Amino acid sequence: MTSSSRIAVRELPLFPLPEVVLFPTRPLPLHIFEFRYRIMMNTILESDRRFGVLMVDPVKGTIANVGCCAEIIHYQRLPDDRMKMLTLGQQRFRVLEYVREKPYRVGLVQWIEDEPPAKDLRPLGAEVEQLLKDVVRLSAKLTEQNIELPEELPDLPIELSYWVASNLYGVAAEQQSLLEMQDTAARLEREAEILTSTRNHLAARSVLKDTFNQKS
């Protein structure tokens, strides 16, 4: 833990992104081209390489109040001072207030964490992992593609919950809800619901496909 991560409240440069929700421990590649964010990244690279990612709702035009701190791991300068970079999610935060808006947003933020679990979460984590395997197996069967999970999924239930949440596609509002939860069990239970629904949908499609193939 760096000294900055032990401080409960701090100022943090903020990077709002449409329909992007970053989770702790998860990577986020970025292409920085807008002038104000080029200024921001050049400033950050001279300090602790950390900034906050906040999801923008493109329909409402609103910026989420809870986000995730990102740390720049690698970067590459391109022509015209554009940059490609790989960042990694660190801890989550809540924006208390905006300190300034220009040339880029800076917020006063407070770090947030999950509450200590009241029960052993490993059985729930194992259930979510099995559901993941079912979804991947059925998806591979339906698309006739070789789809595989990583060989090593996170062991810790909290890290598994972040991994699953970050790999949900096209449901940024749901991801934002999962990010804001401060109860690991509740996050895993919601993910189990989503994966069960997906598995059942894929299983029904698989039966239809098998029936159709038998007739043709």
Side-chain angles (χ1 to χ4, degrees), residues 149-166:
L149 284 169
E151 284 187 15
E152 293 185 9
L153 284 168
D155 288 330
L156 291 175
I158 187 168
E159 290 190 6
L160 178 65
S161 77
Y162 293 147
W163 190 94
V164 174
S166 70

mmCIF file with all atom_site columns, all heavy atoms in Angstrom, residues 149-166:
data_model
loop_
_atom_site.group_PDB
_atom_site.id
_atom_site.type_symbol
_atom_site.label_atom_id
_atom_site.label_alt_id
_atom_site.label_comp_id
_atom_site.label_asym_id
_atom_site.label_entity_id
_atom_site.label_seq_id
_atom_site.pdbx_PDB_ins_code
_atom_site.Cartn_x
_atom_site.Cartn_y
_atom_site.Cartn_z
_atom_site.occupancy
_atom_site.B_iso_or_equiv
_atom_site.pdbx_formal_charge
_atom_site.auth_seq_id
_atom_site.auth_comp_id
_atom_site.auth_asym_id
_atom_site.auth_atom_id
_atom_site.pdbx_PDB_model_num
ATOM 1   N N   . LEU A 1 149 ? -12.299 -20.105 -20.225 1.00 0.00 ? 149 LEU A N   1
ATOM 2   C CA  . LEU A 1 149 ? -12.002 -19.228 -19.105 1.00 0.00 ? 149 LEU A CA  1
ATOM 3   C C   . LEU A 1 149 ? -10.490 -19.203 -18.889 1.00 0.00 ? 149 LEU A C   1
ATOM 4   O O   . LEU A 1 149 ? -9.789  -20.130 -19.296 1.00 0.00 ? 149 LEU A O   1
ATOM 5   C CB  . LEU A 1 149 ? -12.678 -19.746 -17.832 1.00 0.00 ? 149 LEU A CB  1
ATOM 6   C CG  . LEU A 1 149 ? -14.181 -19.519 -17.692 1.00 0.00 ? 149 LEU A CG  1
ATOM 7   C CD1 . LEU A 1 149 ? -14.729 -20.307 -16.520 1.00 0.00 ? 149 LEU A CD1 1
ATOM 8   C CD2 . LEU A 1 149 ? -14.484 -18.036 -17.506 1.00 0.00 ? 149 LEU A CD2 1
ATOM 9   N N   . PRO A 1 150 ? -9.977  -18.158 -18.244 1.00 0.00 ? 150 PRO A N   1
ATOM 10  C CA  . PRO A 1 150 ? -8.552  -18.168 -17.889 1.00 0.00 ? 150 PRO A CA  1
ATOM 11  C C   . PRO A 1 150 ? -8.249  -19.388 -17.025 1.00 0.00 ? 150 PRO A C   1
ATOM 12  O O   . PRO A 1 150 ? -9.110  -19.848 -16.269 1.00 0.00 ? 150 PRO A O   1
ATOM 13  C CB  . PRO A 1 150 ? -8.373  -16.869 -17.086 1.00 0.00 ? 150 PRO A CB  1
ATOM 14  C CG  . PRO A 1 150 ? -9.534  -16.024 -17.427 1.00 0.00 ? 150 PRO A CG  1
ATOM 15  C CD  . PRO A 1 150 ? -10.656 -16.933 -17.799 1.00 0.00 ? 150 PRO A CD  1
ATOM 16  N N   . GLU A 1 151 ? -7.044  -19.894 -17.135 1.00 0.00 ? 151 GLU A N   1
ATOM 17  C CA  . GLU A 1 151 ? -6.678  -21.085 -16.356 1.00 0.00 ? 151 GLU A CA  1
ATOM 18  C C   . GLU A 1 151 ? -6.806  -20.831 -14.862 1.00 0.00 ? 151 GLU A C   1
ATOM 19  O O   . GLU A 1 151 ? -7.171  -21.709 -14.097 1.00 0.00 ? 151 GLU A O   1
ATOM 20  C CB  . GLU A 1 151 ? -5.243  -21.508 -16.706 1.00 0.00 ? 151 GLU A CB  1
ATOM 21  C CG  . GLU A 1 151 ? -5.159  -22.209 -18.051 1.00 0.00 ? 151 GLU A CG  1
ATOM 22  C CD  . GLU A 1 151 ? -3.771  -22.771 -18.304 1.00 0.00 ? 151 GLU A CD  1
ATOM 23  O OE1 . GLU A 1 151 ? -2.975  -22.861 -17.339 1.00 0.00 ? 151 GLU A OE1 1
ATOM 24  O OE2 . GLU A 1 151 ? -3.485  -23.109 -19.457 1.00 0.00 ? 151 GLU A OE2 1
ATOM 25  N N   . GLU A 1 152 ? -6.458  -19.625 -14.467 1.00 0.00 ? 152 GLU A N   1
ATOM 26  C CA  . GLU A 1 152 ? -6.500  -19.315 -13.035 1.00 0.00 ? 152 GLU A CA  1
ATOM 27  C C   . GLU A 1 152 ? -7.438  -18.143 -12.784 1.00 0.00 ? 152 GLU A C   1
ATOM 28  O O   . GLU A 1 152 ? -7.073  -16.985 -12.963 1.00 0.00 ? 152 GLU A O   1
ATOM 29  C CB  . GLU A 1 152 ? -5.094  -18.984 -12.520 1.00 0.00 ? 152 GLU A CB  1
ATOM 30  C CG  . GLU A 1 152 ? -4.150  -20.183 -12.535 1.00 0.00 ? 152 GLU A CG  1
ATOM 31  C CD  . GLU A 1 152 ? -2.802  -19.863 -11.918 1.00 0.00 ? 152 GLU A CD  1
ATOM 32  O OE1 . GLU A 1 152 ? -2.664  -18.785 -11.328 1.00 0.00 ? 152 GLU A OE1 1
ATOM 33  O OE2 . GLU A 1 152 ? -1.893  -20.694 -12.053 1.00 0.00 ? 152 GLU A OE2 1
ATOM 34  N N   . LEU A 1 153 ? -8.658  -18.459 -12.391 1.00 0.00 ? 153 LEU A N   1
ATOM 35  C CA  . LEU A 1 153 ? -9.567  -17.417 -11.933 1.00 0.00 ? 153 LEU A CA  1
ATOM 36  C C   . LEU A 1 153 ? -9.130  -16.990 -10.533 1.00 0.00 ? 153 LEU A C   1
ATOM 37  O O   . LEU A 1 153 ? -8.506  -17.768 -9.817  1.00 0.00 ? 153 LEU A O   1
ATOM 38  C CB  . LEU A 1 153 ? -10.999 -17.948 -11.890 1.00 0.00 ? 153 LEU A CB  1
ATOM 39  C CG  . LEU A 1 153 ? -11.720 -18.085 -13.230 1.00 0.00 ? 153 LEU A CG  1
ATOM 40  C CD1 . LEU A 1 153 ? -13.004 -18.883 -13.056 1.00 0.00 ? 153 LEU A CD1 1
ATOM 41  C CD2 . LEU A 1 153 ? -12.013 -16.726 -13.835 1.00 0.00 ? 153 LEU A CD2 1
ATOM 42  N N   . PRO A 1 154 ? -9.468  -15.758 -10.131 1.00 0.00 ? 154 PRO A N   1
ATOM 43  C CA  . PRO A 1 154 ? -9.078  -15.320 -8.787  1.00 0.00 ? 154 PRO A CA  1
ATOM 44  C C   . PRO A 1 154 ? -9.622  -16.262 -7.710  1.00 0.00 ? 154 PRO A C   1
ATOM 45  O O   . PRO A 1 154 ? -10.768 -16.710 -7.784  1.00 0.00 ? 154 PRO A O   1
ATOM 46  C CB  . PRO A 1 154 ? -9.717  -13.931 -8.681  1.00 0.00 ? 154 PRO A CB  1
ATOM 47  C CG  . PRO A 1 154 ? -9.885  -13.473 -10.089 1.00 0.00 ? 154 PRO A CG  1
ATOM 48  C CD  . PRO A 1 154 ? -10.152 -14.703 -10.887 1.00 0.00 ? 154 PRO A CD  1
ATOM 49  N N   . ASP A 1 155 ? -8.793  -16.577 -6.726  1.00 0.00 ? 155 ASP A N   1
ATOM 50  C CA  . ASP A 1 155 ? -9.200  -17.456 -5.622  1.00 0.00 ? 155 ASP A CA  1
ATOM 51  C C   . ASP A 1 155 ? -10.056 -16.726 -4.595  1.00 0.00 ? 155 ASP A C   1
ATOM 52  O O   . ASP A 1 155 ? -11.029 -17.266 -4.083  1.00 0.00 ? 155 ASP A O   1
ATOM 53  C CB  . ASP A 1 155 ? -7.967  -18.035 -4.903  1.00 0.00 ? 155 ASP A CB  1
ATOM 54  C CG  . ASP A 1 155 ? -7.266  -19.086 -5.757  1.00 0.00 ? 155 ASP A CG  1
ATOM 55  O OD1 . ASP A 1 155 ? -7.959  -19.750 -6.549  1.00 0.00 ? 155 ASP A OD1 1
ATOM 56  O OD2 . ASP A 1 155 ? -6.040  -19.226 -5.635  1.00 0.00 ? 155 ASP A OD2 1
ATOM 57  N N   . LEU A 1 156 ? -9.654  -15.505 -4.278  1.00 0.00 ? 156 LEU A N   1
ATOM 58  C CA  . LEU A 1 156 ? -10.375 -14.765 -3.251  1.00 0.00 ? 156 LEU A CA  1
ATOM 59  C C   . LEU A 1 156 ? -11.770 -14.392 -3.748  1.00 0.00 ? 156 LEU A C   1
ATOM 60  O O   . LEU A 1 156 ? -11.918 -13.884 -4.866  1.00 0.00 ? 156 LEU A O   1
ATOM 61  C CB  . LEU A 1 156 ? -9.613  -13.484 -2.879  1.00 0.00 ? 156 LEU A CB  1
ATOM 62  C CG  . LEU A 1 156 ? -8.291  -13.655 -2.130  1.00 0.00 ? 156 LEU A CG  1
ATOM 63  C CD1 . LEU A 1 156 ? -7.616  -12.314 -1.947  1.00 0.00 ? 156 LEU A CD1 1
ATOM 64  C CD2 . LEU A 1 156 ? -8.528  -14.318 -0.772  1.00 0.00 ? 156 LEU A CD2 1
ATOM 65  N N   . PRO A 1 157 ? -12.816 -14.626 -2.941  1.00 0.00 ? 157 PRO A N   1
ATOM 66  C CA  . PRO A 1 157 ? -14.180 -14.307 -3.369  1.00 0.00 ? 157 PRO A CA  1
ATOM 67  C C   . PRO A 1 157 ? -14.348 -12.849 -3.818  1.00 0.00 ? 157 PRO A C   1
ATOM 68  O O   . PRO A 1 157 ? -15.017 -12.581 -4.811  1.00 0.00 ? 157 PRO A O   1
ATOM 69  C CB  . PRO A 1 157 ? -15.017 -14.612 -2.125  1.00 0.00 ? 157 PRO A CB  1
ATOM 70  C CG  . PRO A 1 157 ? -14.256 -15.680 -1.416  1.00 0.00 ? 157 PRO A CG  1
ATOM 71  C CD  . PRO A 1 157 ? -12.819 -15.342 -1.637  1.00 0.00 ? 157 PRO A CD  1
ATOM 72  N N   . ILE A 1 158 ? -13.711 -11.898 -3.114  1.00 0.00 ? 158 ILE A N   1
ATOM 73  C CA  . ILE A 1 158 ? -13.875 -10.495 -3.492  1.00 0.00 ? 158 ILE A CA  1
ATOM 74  C C   . ILE A 1 158 ? -13.253 -10.231 -4.864  1.00 0.00 ? 158 ILE A C   1
ATOM 75  O O   . ILE A 1 158 ? -13.843 -9.530  -5.699  1.00 0.00 ? 158 ILE A O   1
ATOM 76  C CB  . ILE A 1 158 ? -13.295 -9.539  -2.417  1.00 0.00 ? 158 ILE A CB  1
ATOM 77  C CG1 . ILE A 1 158 ? -13.646 -8.088  -2.759  1.00 0.00 ? 158 ILE A CG1 1
ATOM 78  C CG2 . ILE A 1 158 ? -11.790 -9.714  -2.242  1.00 0.00 ? 158 ILE A CG2 1
ATOM 79  C CD1 . ILE A 1 158 ? -13.374 -7.110  -1.643  1.00 0.00 ? 158 ILE A CD1 1
ATOM 80  N N   . GLU A 1 159 ? -12.073 -10.827 -5.122  1.00 0.00 ? 159 GLU A N   1
ATOM 81  C CA  . GLU A 1 159 ? -11.428 -10.628 -6.426  1.00 0.00 ? 159 GLU A CA  1
ATOM 82  C C   . GLU A 1 159 ? -12.210 -11.333 -7.535  1.00 0.00 ? 159 GLU A C   1
ATOM 83  O O   . GLU A 1 159 ? -12.284 -10.837 -8.659  1.00 0.00 ? 159 GLU A O   1
ATOM 84  C CB  . GLU A 1 159 ? -9.973  -11.097 -6.384  1.00 0.00 ? 159 GLU A CB  1
ATOM 85  C CG  . GLU A 1 159 ? -9.090  -10.200 -5.532  1.00 0.00 ? 159 GLU A CG  1
ATOM 86  C CD  . GLU A 1 159 ? -7.609  -10.513 -5.674  1.00 0.00 ? 159 GLU A CD  1
ATOM 87  O OE1 . GLU A 1 159 ? -7.244  -11.354 -6.522  1.00 0.00 ? 159 GLU A OE1 1
ATOM 88  O OE2 . GLU A 1 159 ? -6.823  -9.914  -4.930  1.00 0.00 ? 159 GLU A OE2 1
ATOM 89  N N   . LEU A 1 160 ? -12.782 -12.494 -7.221  1.00 0.00 ? 160 LEU A N   1
ATOM 90  C CA  . LEU A 1 160 ? -13.631 -13.186 -8.190  1.00 0.00 ? 160 LEU A CA  1
ATOM 91  C C   . LEU A 1 160 ? -14.847 -12.324 -8.528  1.00 0.00 ? 160 LEU A C   1
ATOM 92  O O   . LEU A 1 160 ? -15.236 -12.221 -9.697  1.00 0.00 ? 160 LEU A O   1
ATOM 93  C CB  . LEU A 1 160 ? -14.085 -14.538 -7.635  1.00 0.00 ? 160 LEU A CB  1
ATOM 94  C CG  . LEU A 1 160 ? -15.033 -15.343 -8.541  1.00 0.00 ? 160 LEU A CG  1
ATOM 95  C CD1 . LEU A 1 160 ? -14.332 -15.765 -9.834  1.00 0.00 ? 160 LEU A CD1 1
ATOM 96  C CD2 . LEU A 1 160 ? -15.577 -16.569 -7.809  1.00 0.00 ? 160 LEU A CD2 1
ATOM 97  N N   . SER A 1 161 ? -15.418 -11.674 -7.512  1.00 0.00 ? 161 SER A N   1
ATOM 98  C CA  . SER A 1 161 ? -16.595 -10.828 -7.757  1.00 0.00 ? 161 SER A CA  1
ATOM 99  C C   . SER A 1 161 ? -16.245 -9.664  -8.671  1.00 0.00 ? 161 SER A C   1
ATOM 100 O O   . SER A 1 161 ? -17.046 -9.262  -9.517  1.00 0.00 ? 161 SER A O   1
ATOM 101 C CB  . SER A 1 161 ? -17.170 -10.319 -6.427  1.00 0.00 ? 161 SER A CB  1
ATOM 102 O OG  . SER A 1 161 ? -16.410 -9.265  -5.872  1.00 0.00 ? 161 SER A OG  1
ATOM 103 N N   . TYR A 1 162 ? -15.026 -9.111  -8.532  1.00 0.00 ? 162 TYR A N   1
ATOM 104 C CA  . TYR A 1 162 ? -14.598 -8.025  -9.424  1.00 0.00 ? 162 TYR A CA  1
ATOM 105 C C   . TYR A 1 162 ? -14.352 -8.557  -10.834 1.00 0.00 ? 162 TYR A C   1
ATOM 106 O O   . TYR A 1 162 ? -14.676 -7.898  -11.826 1.00 0.00 ? 162 TYR A O   1
ATOM 107 C CB  . TYR A 1 162 ? -13.306 -7.379  -8.894  1.00 0.00 ? 162 TYR A CB  1
ATOM 108 C CG  . TYR A 1 162 ? -13.449 -6.625  -7.593  1.00 0.00 ? 162 TYR A CG  1
ATOM 109 C CD1 . TYR A 1 162 ? -12.400 -6.587  -6.671  1.00 0.00 ? 162 TYR A CD1 1
ATOM 110 C CD2 . TYR A 1 162 ? -14.615 -5.931  -7.269  1.00 0.00 ? 162 TYR A CD2 1
ATOM 111 C CE1 . TYR A 1 162 ? -12.516 -5.886  -5.475  1.00 0.00 ? 162 TYR A CE1 1
ATOM 112 C CE2 . TYR A 1 162 ? -14.733 -5.228  -6.076  1.00 0.00 ? 162 TYR A CE2 1
ATOM 113 C CZ  . TYR A 1 162 ? -13.687 -5.220  -5.187  1.00 0.00 ? 162 TYR A CZ  1
ATOM 114 O OH  . TYR A 1 162 ? -13.785 -4.527  -4.005  1.00 0.00 ? 162 TYR A OH  1
ATOM 115 N N   . TRP A 1 163 ? -13.770 -9.753  -10.934 1.00 0.00 ? 163 TRP A N   1
ATOM 116 C CA  . TRP A 1 163 ? -13.477 -10.341 -12.250 1.00 0.00 ? 163 TRP A CA  1
ATOM 117 C C   . TRP A 1 163 ? -14.778 -10.563 -13.030 1.00 0.00 ? 163 TRP A C   1
ATOM 118 O O   . TRP A 1 163 ? -14.880 -10.204 -14.207 1.00 0.00 ? 163 TRP A O   1
ATOM 119 C CB  . TRP A 1 163 ? -12.730 -11.670 -12.084 1.00 0.00 ? 163 TRP A CB  1
ATOM 120 C CG  . TRP A 1 163 ? -12.186 -12.220 -13.376 1.00 0.00 ? 163 TRP A CG  1
ATOM 121 C CD1 . TRP A 1 163 ? -10.926 -12.044 -13.885 1.00 0.00 ? 163 TRP A CD1 1
ATOM 122 C CD2 . TRP A 1 163 ? -12.896 -13.001 -14.344 1.00 0.00 ? 163 TRP A CD2 1
ATOM 123 N NE1 . TRP A 1 163 ? -10.814 -12.667 -15.108 1.00 0.00 ? 163 TRP A NE1 1
ATOM 124 C CE2 . TRP A 1 163 ? -12.012 -13.259 -15.419 1.00 0.00 ? 163 TRP A CE2 1
ATOM 125 C CE3 . TRP A 1 163 ? -14.193 -13.496 -14.411 1.00 0.00 ? 163 TRP A CE3 1
ATOM 126 C CZ2 . TRP A 1 163 ? -12.377 -13.999 -16.536 1.00 0.00 ? 163 TRP A CZ2 1
ATOM 127 C CZ3 . TRP A 1 163 ? -14.564 -14.240 -15.538 1.00 0.00 ? 163 TRP A CZ3 1
ATOM 128 C CH2 . TRP A 1 163 ? -13.673 -14.485 -16.573 1.00 0.00 ? 163 TRP A CH2 1
ATOM 129 N N   . VAL A 1 164 ? -15.766 -11.170 -12.365 1.00 0.00 ? 164 VAL A N   1
ATOM 130 C CA  . VAL A 1 164 ? -17.044 -11.441 -13.027 1.00 0.00 ? 164 VAL A CA  1
ATOM 131 C C   . VAL A 1 164 ? -17.705 -10.130 -13.450 1.00 0.00 ? 164 VAL A C   1
ATOM 132 O O   . VAL A 1 164 ? -18.154 -9.981  -14.594 1.00 0.00 ? 164 VAL A O   1
ATOM 133 C CB  . VAL A 1 164 ? -17.987 -12.236 -12.097 1.00 0.00 ? 164 VAL A CB  1
ATOM 134 C CG1 . VAL A 1 164 ? -19.369 -12.387 -12.741 1.00 0.00 ? 164 VAL A CG1 1
ATOM 135 C CG2 . VAL A 1 164 ? -17.404 -13.617 -11.805 1.00 0.00 ? 164 VAL A CG2 1
ATOM 136 N N   . ALA A 1 165 ? -17.744 -9.168  -12.546 1.00 0.00 ? 165 ALA A N   1
ATOM 137 C CA  . ALA A 1 165 ? -18.400 -7.895  -12.838 1.00 0.00 ? 165 ALA A CA  1
ATOM 138 C C   . ALA A 1 165 ? -17.743 -7.188  -14.027 1.00 0.00 ? 165 ALA A C   1
ATOM 139 O O   . ALA A 1 165 ? -18.432 -6.622  -14.887 1.00 0.00 ? 165 ALA A O   1
ATOM 140 C CB  . ALA A 1 165 ? -18.365 -6.994  -11.608 1.00 0.00 ? 165 ALA A CB  1
ATOM 141 N N   . SER A 1 166 ? -16.418 -7.246  -14.092 1.00 0.00 ? 166 SER A N   1
ATOM 142 C CA  . SER A 1 166 ? -15.713 -6.543  -15.171 1.00 0.00 ? 166 SER A CA  1
ATOM 143 C C   . SER A 1 166 ? -15.905 -7.218  -16.517 1.00 0.00 ? 166 SER A C   1
ATOM 144 O O   . SER A 1 166 ? -15.694 -6.604  -17.566 1.00 0.00 ? 166 SER A O   1
ATOM 145 C CB  . SER A 1 166 ? -14.218 -6.440  -14.853 1.00 0.00 ? 166 SER A CB  1
ATOM 146 O OG  . SER A 1 166 ? -13.596 -7.706  -14.945 1.00 0.00 ? 166 SER A OG  1
#
